[in-house]
Amino acid sequence: MFIDSHCHLDFNVFDVQRDELMSRCYERGVAEFLVPATEFHRWSRLATLAKQYSSWRVAYGLHPYFLTSATLDQIECLGDQCEHYGAIAVGEIGIDCWPGAFEIKVQMDYFRRQLQVAKALSLPIIVHARKSYDLVLKCLRETGFKSGGVIHAFNGSLVQAERFVDLGFVLGVGGTITYPRAQKAQRVLAALHHSAFVLETDSPDMPLSGFQGQLNTPLSIPLVAQSVAEIRGESVEQVAAQTYDNLLRVFPKWNEVLF
Ligand SMILES: [Zn+2]
Protein backbone atom coordinates (compact mmCIF):
# COMPACT_ATOMS: atom_id res chain seq x y z
CA MET A 1 0.00 0.00 0.00
CA PHE A 2 1.29 3.48 -0.93
CA ILE A 3 0.45 6.87 0.54
CA ASP A 4 0.80 10.24 -1.18
CA SER A 5 1.78 12.56 1.67
CA HIS A 6 1.41 15.75 -0.38
CA CYS A 7 -0.99 16.29 -3.28
CA HIS A 8 -3.44 19.02 -4.26
CA LEU A 9 -6.36 16.84 -5.30
CA ASP A 10 -8.77 19.68 -4.48
CA PHE A 11 -7.46 21.77 -7.40
CA ASN A 12 -9.96 22.51 -10.17
CA VAL A 13 -7.81 20.70 -12.72
CA PHE A 14 -8.95 17.42 -11.11
CA ASP A 15 -12.69 18.28 -11.10
CA VAL A 16 -13.57 16.43 -14.30
CA GLN A 17 -11.71 13.26 -13.41
CA ARG A 18 -11.50 13.10 -9.60
CA ASP A 19 -13.74 10.04 -9.04
CA GLU A 20 -12.09 8.12 -11.83
CA LEU A 21 -8.61 9.11 -10.65
CA MET A 22 -9.40 7.96 -7.10
CA SER A 23 -10.55 4.55 -8.41
CA ARG A 24 -7.39 4.17 -10.49
CA CYS A 25 -5.24 5.11 -7.47
CA TYR A 26 -6.95 2.47 -5.29
CA GLU A 27 -6.45 -0.16 -8.03
CA ARG A 28 -2.76 0.67 -8.12
CA GLY A 29 -2.39 0.47 -4.33
CA VAL A 30 -2.19 4.22 -3.71
CA ALA A 31 -4.62 4.14 -0.82
CA GLU A 32 -4.44 7.38 1.19
CA PHE A 33 -3.65 11.02 0.49
CA LEU A 34 -2.71 14.08 2.50
CA VAL A 35 -4.15 17.17 0.84
CA PRO A 36 -2.84 20.45 2.29
CA ALA A 37 -4.60 23.75 1.74
CA THR A 38 -3.23 26.68 -0.22
CA GLU A 39 -5.60 29.67 0.04
CA PHE A 40 -8.34 30.64 2.49
CA HIS A 41 -11.09 30.71 -0.14
CA ARG A 42 -10.44 27.03 -0.89
CA TRP A 43 -10.67 25.74 2.70
CA SER A 44 -14.41 25.02 2.72
CA ARG A 45 -14.29 23.14 -0.56
CA LEU A 46 -11.36 21.10 0.69
CA ALA A 47 -13.38 20.20 3.79
CA THR A 48 -16.34 19.16 1.62
CA LEU A 49 -14.17 16.94 -0.58
CA ALA A 50 -12.43 15.40 2.45
CA LYS A 51 -15.84 14.41 3.83
CA GLN A 52 -16.65 12.78 0.51
CA TYR A 53 -13.39 10.78 0.20
CA SER A 54 -12.55 8.84 3.35
CA SER A 55 -9.04 8.18 1.98
CA TRP A 56 -8.16 11.88 2.23
CA ARG A 57 -6.50 13.57 5.18
CA VAL A 58 -6.48 17.36 5.25
CA ALA A 59 -4.55 20.30 6.60
CA TYR A 60 -5.48 23.99 6.55
CA GLY A 61 -3.20 26.96 6.23
CA LEU A 62 -2.05 29.87 4.07
CA HIS A 63 0.57 28.88 1.50
CA PRO A 64 3.45 31.38 1.32
CA TYR A 65 3.35 31.52 -2.47
CA PHE A 66 -0.28 32.67 -2.50
CA LEU A 67 -0.18 35.42 0.10
CA THR A 68 -1.64 38.01 -2.30
CA SER A 69 -5.06 36.61 -1.36
CA ALA A 70 -4.22 36.35 2.37
CA THR A 71 -5.18 38.61 5.28
CA LEU A 72 -4.32 38.37 8.97
CA ASP A 73 -8.07 37.91 9.73
CA GLN A 74 -7.87 34.56 7.95
CA ILE A 75 -5.35 33.35 10.53
CA GLU A 76 -7.93 34.21 13.22
CA CYS A 77 -10.15 31.54 11.60
CA LEU A 78 -7.42 28.92 11.23
CA GLY A 79 -7.73 27.34 14.67
CA ASP A 80 -11.51 26.92 14.36
CA GLN A 81 -11.21 25.53 10.86
CA CYS A 82 -8.64 22.95 12.00
CA GLU A 83 -10.67 21.92 15.04
CA HIS A 84 -14.02 21.59 13.30
CA TYR A 85 -13.10 20.36 9.83
CA GLY A 86 -10.87 17.38 10.43
CA ALA A 87 -7.32 18.77 10.20
CA ILE A 88 -4.51 16.38 11.02
CA ALA A 89 -1.97 19.19 10.51
CA VAL A 90 -1.56 22.90 9.73
CA GLY A 91 -0.31 23.52 6.18
CA GLU A 92 0.94 24.19 3.88
CA ILE A 93 2.80 27.04 5.46
CA GLY A 94 6.36 28.29 5.20
CA ILE A 95 8.72 30.65 3.44
CA ASP A 96 9.43 30.84 -0.30
CA CYS A 97 12.54 32.78 -1.38
CA TRP A 98 12.14 32.04 -5.09
CA PRO A 99 12.51 35.10 -7.36
CA GLY A 100 9.22 36.98 -7.49
CA ALA A 101 8.09 35.68 -4.11
CA PHE A 102 6.17 37.80 -1.61
CA GLU A 103 8.16 40.13 0.68
CA ILE A 104 10.13 37.89 3.06
CA LYS A 105 9.31 39.91 6.19
CA VAL A 106 5.60 39.45 5.51
CA GLN A 107 6.04 35.75 4.77
CA MET A 108 7.87 35.27 8.06
CA ASP A 109 5.11 37.09 9.93
CA TYR A 110 2.42 34.81 8.43
CA PHE A 111 4.56 31.74 9.09
CA ARG A 112 5.17 32.64 12.76
CA ARG A 113 1.49 33.37 13.35
CA GLN A 114 0.43 30.05 11.81
CA LEU A 115 3.11 28.25 13.84
CA GLN A 116 1.50 29.71 16.97
CA VAL A 117 -1.88 28.30 15.91
CA ALA A 118 -0.36 24.85 15.29
CA LYS A 119 1.46 25.04 18.60
CA ALA A 120 -1.71 25.95 20.49
CA LEU A 121 -3.52 22.95 18.93
CA SER A 122 -0.47 20.63 19.26
CA LEU A 123 -0.76 19.91 15.52
CA PRO A 124 2.19 19.06 13.25
CA ILE A 125 2.84 21.26 10.22
CA ILE A 126 3.41 20.80 6.48
CA VAL A 127 6.20 23.15 5.44
CA HIS A 128 6.73 24.69 2.02
CA ALA A 129 10.32 25.99 1.93
CA ARG A 130 12.29 27.08 -1.13
CA LYS A 131 15.78 28.49 -0.57
CA SER A 132 14.67 29.25 2.98
CA TYR A 133 15.65 26.34 5.25
CA ASP A 134 17.67 28.50 7.61
CA LEU A 135 14.86 31.07 7.91
CA VAL A 136 12.36 28.27 8.59
CA LEU A 137 14.63 26.84 11.30
CA LYS A 138 14.95 30.32 12.82
CA CYS A 139 11.16 30.71 13.02
CA LEU A 140 10.74 27.22 14.49
CA ARG A 141 13.26 28.00 17.21
CA GLU A 142 11.85 31.46 17.97
CA THR A 143 8.32 30.15 18.39
CA GLY A 144 9.42 27.07 20.35
CA PHE A 145 7.45 24.88 17.94
CA LYS A 146 7.93 21.22 18.82
CA SER A 147 5.15 19.23 17.13
CA GLY A 148 7.17 18.33 14.01
CA GLY A 149 5.68 17.57 10.61
CA VAL A 150 6.90 17.31 7.01
CA ILE A 151 9.39 19.46 5.10
CA HIS A 152 7.68 19.08 1.75
CA ALA A 153 9.83 18.60 -1.41
CA PHE A 154 13.04 18.73 0.60
CA ASN A 155 16.14 19.43 -1.49
CA GLY A 156 18.66 20.65 1.06
CA SER A 157 21.92 19.22 2.38
CA LEU A 158 22.34 16.29 4.75
CA VAL A 159 23.23 18.72 7.56
CA GLN A 160 19.99 20.67 6.99
CA ALA A 161 18.06 17.39 6.81
CA GLU A 162 19.45 16.33 10.18
CA ARG A 163 18.53 19.67 11.77
CA PHE A 164 14.90 19.15 10.76
CA VAL A 165 14.92 15.50 11.81
CA ASP A 166 16.23 16.54 15.24
CA LEU A 167 13.19 18.83 15.55
CA GLY A 168 10.78 15.96 14.86
CA PHE A 169 10.32 16.46 11.11
CA VAL A 170 10.43 14.04 8.20
CA LEU A 171 11.42 15.05 4.68
CA GLY A 172 9.07 14.83 1.70
CA VAL A 173 10.63 12.97 -1.24
CA GLY A 174 8.97 13.34 -4.65
CA GLY A 175 9.42 13.23 -8.40
CA THR A 176 12.55 15.40 -8.51
CA ILE A 177 14.73 12.49 -7.33
CA THR A 178 13.87 10.61 -10.54
CA TYR A 179 15.87 13.08 -12.66
CA PRO A 180 19.42 11.99 -13.62
CA ARG A 181 20.68 15.50 -12.76
CA ALA A 182 19.42 15.25 -9.16
CA GLN A 183 22.58 13.59 -7.94
CA LYS A 184 22.97 15.72 -4.82
CA ALA A 185 19.40 14.99 -3.69
CA GLN A 186 19.93 11.29 -4.43
CA ARG A 187 23.11 11.21 -2.30
CA VAL A 188 21.26 12.87 0.59
CA LEU A 189 18.38 10.40 0.25
CA ALA A 190 20.78 7.44 0.24
CA ALA A 191 22.36 8.69 3.48
CA LEU A 192 19.12 9.34 5.41
CA HIS A 193 17.91 7.02 8.14
CA HIS A 194 14.84 5.06 7.06
CA SER A 195 12.75 6.88 9.66
CA ALA A 196 13.51 10.30 8.12
CA PHE A 197 11.36 10.60 4.99
CA VAL A 198 7.95 10.11 3.36
CA LEU A 199 6.77 9.87 -0.27
CA GLU A 200 4.85 12.60 -2.09
CA THR A 201 3.92 13.80 -5.57
CA ASP A 202 2.86 17.47 -5.12
CA SER A 203 0.27 16.72 -7.83
CA PRO A 204 -0.62 18.35 -10.15
CA ASP A 205 2.92 19.80 -10.12
CA MET A 206 6.41 18.24 -10.15
CA PRO A 207 6.12 15.59 -12.91
CA LEU A 208 8.63 12.74 -12.86
CA SER A 209 11.54 12.42 -15.27
CA GLY A 210 10.13 11.34 -18.62
CA PHE A 211 6.70 12.83 -17.87
CA GLN A 212 7.52 16.54 -18.23
CA GLY A 213 4.61 18.67 -19.43
CA GLN A 214 2.04 16.12 -18.22
CA LEU A 215 -0.40 16.48 -15.36
CA ASN A 216 1.15 14.79 -12.34
CA THR A 217 -1.17 12.63 -10.20
CA PRO A 218 -0.78 10.33 -7.17
CA LEU A 219 -0.60 7.44 -9.68
CA SER A 220 3.10 8.27 -9.91
CA ILE A 221 3.76 7.37 -6.24
CA PRO A 222 4.74 3.74 -7.05
CA LEU A 223 7.35 5.13 -9.49
CA VAL A 224 8.72 7.48 -6.83
CA ALA A 225 8.90 4.51 -4.42
CA GLN A 226 10.69 2.45 -7.08
CA SER A 227 13.25 5.21 -7.55
CA VAL A 228 13.76 5.59 -3.78
CA ALA A 229 14.21 1.82 -3.45
CA GLU A 230 16.88 1.80 -6.18
CA ILE A 231 18.74 4.78 -4.71
CA ARG A 232 18.74 3.26 -1.20
CA GLY A 233 19.28 -0.38 -2.17
CA GLU A 234 16.01 -1.44 -0.53
CA SER A 235 12.89 -3.17 -1.77
CA VAL A 236 9.80 -1.19 -2.81
CA GLU A 237 7.84 -3.05 -0.09
CA GLN A 238 10.34 -1.88 2.54
CA VAL A 239 10.11 1.71 1.32
CA ALA A 240 6.29 1.61 1.33
CA ALA A 241 6.13 0.12 4.84
CA GLN A 242 8.77 2.42 6.36
CA THR A 243 7.32 5.60 4.92
CA TYR A 244 3.84 4.62 6.15
CA ASP A 245 5.23 4.11 9.68
CA ASN A 246 6.92 7.49 9.41
CA LEU A 247 3.66 9.19 8.44
CA LEU A 248 1.80 7.63 11.37
CA ARG A 249 4.52 8.77 13.76
CA VAL A 250 4.55 12.36 12.49
CA PHE A 251 0.76 12.68 12.09
CA PRO A 252 -0.73 11.02 15.20
CA LYS A 253 -4.29 11.84 14.03
CA TRP A 254 -3.87 9.98 10.71
CA ASN A 255 -6.20 7.14 11.66
CA GLU A 256 -8.59 9.06 13.88
CA VAL A 257 -12.12 9.53 12.59
CA LEU A 258 -12.27 13.30 12.30
CA PHE A 259 -15.59 13.90 10.52
ZN1 LIG B 1 2.00 21.76 -2.18
Side-chain angles (χ1 to χ4, degrees):
M1 173 173 100
F2 297 103
I3 314 287
D4 190 344
S5 72
H6 193 115
C7 47
H8 296 285
L9 291 172
D10 61 315
F11 281 9
N12 299 350
V13 70
F14 292 116
D15 283 354
V16 290
Q17 49 157 318
R18 193 172 288 107
D19 282 337
E20 193 211 328
L21 176 61
M22 289 294 104
S23 307
R24 289 175 63 207
C25 284
Y26 304 146
E27 276 165 28
R28 216 177 280 185
V30 187
E32 293 171 349
F33 313 83
L34 177 49
V35 187
T38 49
E39 296 174 272
F40 177 78
H41 72 88
R42 305 191 64 87
W43 289 359
S44 65
R45 183 168 151 71
L46 177 56
T48 305
L49 286 167
K51 272 187 199 167
Q52 196 179 325
Y53 298 106
S54 61
S55 57
W56 289 28
R57 306 293 181 273
V58 285
Y60 302 100
L62 303 173
H63 189 302
Y65 202 74
F66 300 102
L67 288 184
T68 36
S69 69
T71 64
L72 292 178
D73 293 354
Q74 295 169 0
I75 297 180
E76 303 287 310
C77 309
L78 180 58
D80 263 9
Q81 180 73 23
C82 288
E83 283 199 301
H84 298 119
Y85 295 93
I88 66 156
V90 169
E92 63 185 277
I93 61 175
I95 304 169
D96 190 320
C97 295
W98 213 247
F102 220 76
E103 195 185 337
I104 301 303
K105 245 174 56 188
V106 178
Q107 290 196 49
M108 286 177 77
D109 183 38
Y110 273 86
F111 184 44
R112 285 194 193 97
R113 288 170 191 262
Q114 294 184 90
L115 280 177
Q116 295 294 1
V117 174
K119 191 178 163 187
L121 297 174
S122 300
L123 281 175
I125 55 174
I126 299 162
V127 179
H128 172 101
R130 279 202 291 188
K131 296 191 177 292
S132 62
Y133 294 128
D134 294 335
L135 288 179
V136 166
L137 284 162
K138 180 173 143 75
C139 292
L140 292 173
R141 281 194 208 101
E142 279 171 4
T143 48
F145 180 79
K146 296 214 164 58
S147 302
V150 174
I151 309 298
H152 146 63
F154 181 77
N155 72 344
S157 67
L158 190 57
V159 172
Q160 286 168 324
E162 280 162 358
R163 285 200 187 116
F164 284 115
V165 168
D166 286 346
L167 288 170
F169 286 86
V170 291
L171 312 161
V173 175
T176 49
I177 53 128
T178 62
Y179 287 80
R181 65 168 186 270
Q183 287 163 2
K184 183 191 139 205
Q186 291 167 0
R187 274 198 300 276
V188 171
L189 175 62
L192 288 176
H193 190 262
H194 63 73
S195 61
F197 63 95
V198 293
L199 306 177
E200 61 171 52
T201 62
D202 202 21
S203 305
D205 296 325
M206 290 174 73
L208 275 58
S209 176
F211 296 86
Q212 292 94 322
Q214 296 181 28
L215 184 79
N216 195 19
T217 76
L219 287 169
S220 59
I221 275 285
L223 295 173
V224 174
Q226 177 72 44
S227 220
V228 170
E230 281 164 20
I231 291 163
R232 292 177 55 81
E234 295 170 341
S235 69
V236 173
E237 292 72 22
Q238 258 176 313
V239 171
Q242 286 162 359
T243 49
Y244 187 53
D245 284 351
N246 296 344
L247 265 190
L248 295 185
R249 188 181 75 248
V250 175
F251 298 113
K253 289 177 182 259
W254 191 274
N255 282 328
E256 275 180 28
V257 178
L258 295 162
F259 284 106

